[in-house]
Amino acid sequence: MGRVAGKVVVVTGGARGQGAAEVEALAREGATVLATDVLDAEGHALAGRLAADGLQVSYLPLDVRDRQAWDALAAYLEEHHGRVDALVNNAGVAARDRIPDVDPQAWQRTFDINVTGPLHGIQALVPLMRAGASIVNVCSAPS
């Protein structure tokens, strides 16, 4: 078993790219991983491929902006796993407009996904975390 054997880990934005790589790496190190995203087809495909390899990966849809969805996820995790050992807040979007050209609605969407989403996740899942659990907030932007 690997470094995170037996841990229950939630990864947001886990359907593709960096998030999918995190999901796979954690699962190959022995974690039970719940990948979440708004990209359902890709999330289900990833979970199916990794589960076929014998890894403990599942997928649930989650819009990180939706606090009620986070609460439902917390209830699911409590019922099925009883705890959360780590939350990887990976979901994010890039806003590349120059300041004079920023659309306020696009700004709000970016803020809601990149800032408020992780807050919702932390608030919803911390009650399921024991001492020593981890929260990882990720930020990357493709070049």
Side-chain angles (χ1 to χ4, degrees), residues 25-99:
L26 287 160
R28 292 201 183 281
E29 288 292 328
T32 296
V33 184
L34 178 61
T36 69
D37 210 307
V38 294
L39 303 172
D40 292 344
E42 292 169 88
H44 285 295
L46 174 70
R49 177 177 62 81
L50 296 175
D53 285 350
L55 302 175
Q56 297 297 311
V57 177
S58 57
Y59 171 80
L60 285 176
L62 177 72
D63 182 338
V64 298
R65 300 172 292 176
D66 183 346
R67 177 55 199 253
Q68 290 178 328
W70 274 109
D71 291 340
L73 178 63
Y76 171 89
L77 288 160
E78 184 170 30
E79 179 181 335
H80 290 88
H81 301 287
R83 70 181 199 287
V84 173
D85 298 300
L87 166 61
V88 180
N89 282 312
N90 174 76
V93 295
R96 290 188 162 58
D97 292 336
R98 297 184 52 80
I99 293 297

Side-chain angles (χ1 to χ4, degrees), residues 121-135:
I122 292 165
Q123 289 176 328
L125 299 188
V126 160
L128 297 174
M129 294 179 154
R130 301 174 183 161
S134 299
I135 298 170

